[in-house]
Amino acid sequence: MTFGKVVSKSRLTLRKILGTSRADREAELLDALKRASSQKLLLLGDSLIEASQAGIGNPSVARGAYGGSRIADVLAAISRIKGAFLWNKVAGAVVSIGVNDAQTSEGDDLGSRQRYFRSALDALAHSVGDRPLVLLTITEIASAGTLVPRFNRDLIALQNKEIRSVKNAQILDIASQFETAMSQAGVPYDDGFRDGVHLSPAGYLYCESAGGGGNCDGGAASLVKA
């Protein structure tokens, strides 16, 4: 067995023990782009996309989402892709982000936090440049759940307002569509979550329905031709 294979096997073993880290996910994303023979659509963001089936098995999609990701992390991932001279392999980006930027532990100055988030959205749109950019709104958290106190509901609403107002992007309002799908199915909204923030298996089914069969990415992968 070569040294490279030993290292690769060790990394796989560590991932099984410790879980996939941000560095692992970014390394996998860069590797997928290096090996790509044609452009790929990036799926970036937080656990909504990471835990979904969005893009799995689609050769035109490169997944780079991971739980806990913030908008600054998405900007950093794009910067690393460009730093590795792989931006020519990118067809566009679908981004689901924001809830982790709304943690209650980071202060009650919602105005300043809203302005920061807007400036980061503008930086994101600028960084993608002439590539198509699709932004998903933030799925509203449940009324109760073990993780609900960690997040500021009012700030999430302000962030969604900013996402919906971005001009240089296509907006997929998954937050509104998911709520509508739950209502039409006659299912209590809170039943779509396992801890008030992360979707349950049933929640993902309704999310997929809300996204038009797009596995919570709103069918966005079909909107950007790689």
Side-chain angles (χ1 to χ4, degrees), residues 194-211:
R194 55 186 171 85
D195 52 21
V197 176
H198 294 101
L199 297 183
S200 65
Y204 272 104
L205 290 177
Y206 289 108
C207 187
E208 291 168 13
S209 172

Side-chain angles (χ1 to χ4, degrees), residues 7-187:
V7 171
S8 178
K9 186 174 181 180
S10 297
R11 285 176 176 171
L12 288 173
T13 301
L14 283 172
R15 285 173 189 165
K16 289 179 181 179
I17 297 172
L18 302 175
T20 303
S21 70
R22 180 180 75 177
D24 287 331
R25 188 68 74 198
E26 289 184 353
E28 291 168 358
L29 178 60
L30 292 176
D31 184 61
L33 292 175
K34 287 177 183 176
R35 293 185 288 102
S37 58
S38 60
Q39 289 186 321
K40 290 183 177 288
L41 172 70
L42 304 180
L43 281 186
L44 303 173
D46 53 32
S47 55
L48 175 69
I49 295 295
E50 182 188 28
S52 78
Q53 297 298 304
I56 292 179
N58 186 336
S60 296
V61 172
R63 289 166 51 100
Y66 55 90
S69 184
R70 299 176 180 230
I71 193 166
D73 298 314
V74 172
L75 287 167
I78 291 174
S79 178
R80 291 188 182 97
I81 291 170
K82 291 181 176 181
F85 303 102
L86 293 170
W87 192 246
N88 63 313
K89 297 289 189 74
V90 174
V94 177
V95 179
S96 169
I97 207 72
V99 70
N100 293 299
D101 291 283
Q103 295 190 34
T104 53
S105 61
E106 295 175 13
D108 297 325
D109 186 352
L110 302 191
S112 294
R113 295 178 70 182
Q114 179 186 11
R115 288 190 293 274
Y116 160 77
F117 189 73
R118 178 59 204 222
S119 67
L121 284 174
D122 290 340
L124 175 60
H126 178 76
S127 68
V128 172
D130 61 353
R131 303 290 200 275
L133 172 63
V134 181
L135 295 175
L136 276 62
T137 52
I138 307 164
T139 305
E140 301 286 353
I141 60 178
S143 62
T146 56
L147 294 186
V148 167
R150 297 186 186 181
F151 299 92
N152 191 306
R153 193 182 308 275
D154 292 335
L155 184 54
I156 290 172
L158 292 172
Q159 290 176 167
N160 271 336
K161 178 182 178 181
E162 297 299 343
I163 292 171
R164 293 179 178 116
S165 68
V166 175
K167 301 297 183 184
N168 300 325
Q170 179 163 349
I171 310 303
L172 291 176
D173 200 347
I174 288 295
S176 296
Q177 293 176 16
F178 179 64
E179 184 176 3
T180 298
M182 296 289 284
S183 177
Q184 290 179 343
V187 178

